[in-house]
Amino acid sequence: MASFLNIRQIVDFAILPLMNVAVALLISGLVVLFVGQNPLEAVGYLVSGSLGSGEGIGFTLYFATSFMFTGLAVAVASHAGLFTIGAEGQAYLGGLGIALVCLALDKVVPWYVTLVPAAMAGMLFGAAWAFIPAYLQARRGSHLVITTIMFNFIASSVMIYVLVNLIKESGSMAPQTRLFDAGGLVPKLGEILPVDIGTAPLNISLFIAIAAAVFVWVLIWKTKLGFEIRATGANPAAARNAGIGYVKITIVCMLISGALAGLAGVNILMGDLGKLQLDFPAGIGLVGVAVALMGRGHPVGIAVASVLFGVLYQGGAEISFWMPNITRELIMLIQGLVILFAGALSLMFRSSVYSLVDLFRFSKREA
């Protein structure tokens, strides 16, 4: 029985994700072929642009860092049976908290002093933005998918107002803050480690993302709260009968989820842009949903899926540069296909693969 469960775990966590990616890339190759380009040449640029140089790897891991934060955010909620689409808005508001701290401290203290309160502010703002949808779900039965999508749009409107009317740089027409001074910028990895990443903005946020992944693993699988979260996600009625409070678990999970999403701003704002500007999350919340689904909610799987999507983002930019006939819109289509198969259709092949596994086991037993 144990070996049978291990086989099914291998199918769920390794074989199915690889099959989904393979099918998505196959269909993407047909699309590239349809526009008159060589799919193998495109794959070559995809791999070489994302993994073929230190700079390419740096950009890939930079994108992967943001995806890890939002993927972990979605995963924590999913273990409680909550499907949230709100990581985008939570990262957006988290960025506001981070920017406010940086603007207040960047001229006064060094970056390593600013980092802690900035990260805490990002977590606080992200968690606060997740609280209202969580409360509505737990107390009023409002659909979490609907409310979190709505809050993404509300977050966008709030940020437009704040940037245009409250914290825009004086004398500037652009809806953005002033540039952070050195005290508000975290160092690039190339500045503190003997690695050559060229101009890639990969920074110490990568280590924060890894620490967040370890935290999620410990929380979900090694604590009483994690057991209650998993029990609620597996069977809410049984969890209630066992004395596990649904309202508490829902709100706590969403607060943790929002806090994790809010940390993405450290990577993007303090590690790259050096300022707060409109639409800086640029879709990382949606990618986080696909990352969490593809990684099956496990931190290791999420880390691997984040790197995969980092490869797609960085490699896609390289394809657009060297193959102008493959437009940016076509690259977005390819990325969307991977998200489709890794997310919405992630279990499409499960029953077929399970049947093959059962057939193999039966034939082996008969022999």
Side-chain angles (χ1 to χ4, degrees):
M1 181 65 178
S3 62
F4 179 66
L5 292 176
N6 289 336
I7 292 173
R8 292 214 162 186
Q9 288 175 347
I10 292 172
V11 169
D12 284 342
F13 290 96
I15 296 176
L16 286 179
L18 290 175
M19 289 180 64
N20 292 327
V21 172
V23 172
L25 293 179
L26 178 61
I27 296 176
S28 301
L30 295 177
V31 173
V32 172
L33 190 63
F34 180 76
V35 298
Q37 300 297 306
N38 186 344
L40 296 179
E41 184 182 0
V43 171
Y45 286 128
L46 177 74
V47 175
S48 64
S50 57
L51 302 173
S53 66
E55 186 173 39
I57 293 173
F59 274 103
T60 296
L61 292 178
Y62 165 73
F63 291 126
T65 300
S66 296
F67 300 153
M68 278 185 67
F69 285 123
T70 54
L72 291 168
V74 174
V76 168
S78 70
H79 282 292
L82 305 171
F83 190 67
T84 174
I85 314 292
E88 184 88 2
Q90 292 150 18
Y92 213 170
L93 265 293
L96 174 60
I98 290 167
L100 291 176
V101 172
C102 289
L103 292 172
L105 300 180
D106 63 345
K107 296 178 182 294
V108 182
V109 296
W111 68 267
Y112 50 83
V113 176
T114 306
L115 177 60
V116 175
M120 293 179 64
M123 295 171 67
L124 178 63
F125 276 56
W129 200 246
F131 173 76
I132 298 177
Y135 179 84
L136 293 175
Q137 164 79 19
R139 289 291 189 182
R140 302 298 180 184
S142 301
H143 202 295
L144 189 64
V145 172
I146 303 301
T147 53
T148 50
I149 291 175
M150 290 171 60
F151 266 68
N152 287 342
F153 285 97
I154 296 172
S156 180
S157 299
V158 168
M159 292 297 289
I160 290 173
Y161 175 81
V162 170
L163 278 170
V164 171
N165 296 285
L166 300 180
I167 59 174
K168 185 180 70 173
E169 182 179 14
S170 178
S172 172
M173 295 297 292
Q176 61 188 34
T177 65
R178 65 167 175 83
L179 290 174
F180 302 155
D181 275 7
L185 301 172
V186 296
K188 308 293 189 293
L189 287 193
E191 299 171 359
I192 60 175
L193 295 176
V195 292
D196 181 14
I197 58 172
T199 60
L202 180 64
N203 57 80
I204 63 170
S205 299
L206 175 64
F207 302 126
I208 300 176
I210 294 172
V214 174
F215 164 77
V216 169
W217 178 76
V218 172
L219 170 70
I220 299 299
W221 281 280
K222 299 296 179 180
T223 66
K224 177 186 175 183
L225 176 60
F227 174 79
E228 293 177 345
I229 290 171
R230 288 183 286 119
T232 301
N235 193 323
R240 285 194 189 96
N241 291 335
I244 299 173
Y246 175 77
V247 173
K248 181 194 80 170
I249 293 299
T250 298
I251 292 178
V252 168
C253 269
M254 286 299 294
L255 290 177
I256 296 172
S257 175
L260 289 168
L263 281 173
V266 175
N267 182 48
I268 300 172
L269 302 182
M270 298 183 71
D272 182 21
L273 299 178
K275 60 186 176 183
L276 179 64
Q277 64 184 39
L278 287 181
D279 299 324
F280 78 85
I284 61 172
L286 176 61
V287 176
V289 175
V291 164
L293 290 170
M294 190 173 187
R296 299 296 187 266
H298 194 284
V300 175
I302 289 170
V304 174
S306 297
V307 173
L308 170 64
F309 278 93
V311 168
L312 290 174
Y313 266 62
Q314 173 58 19
E318 199 76 9
I319 292 173
S320 295
F321 181 80
W322 292 107
M323 303 177 72
N325 288 334
I326 300 181
T327 62
R328 186 61 190 167
E329 289 73 21
L330 191 58
I331 297 299
M332 292 177 64
L333 172 63
I334 295 172
Q335 294 168 350
L337 285 171
V338 176
I339 292 174
L340 175 66
F341 281 92
L345 303 178
S346 61
L347 302 180
M348 183 173 64
F349 302 111
R350 179 192 253 182
S351 60
S352 299
V353 176
Y354 276 4
S355 298
L356 289 174
V357 170
D358 293 341
L359 180 62
F360 174 77
R361 286 173 53 83
F362 177 77
S363 61
K364 186 177 179 181
R365 186 167 61 245
E366 287 295 315

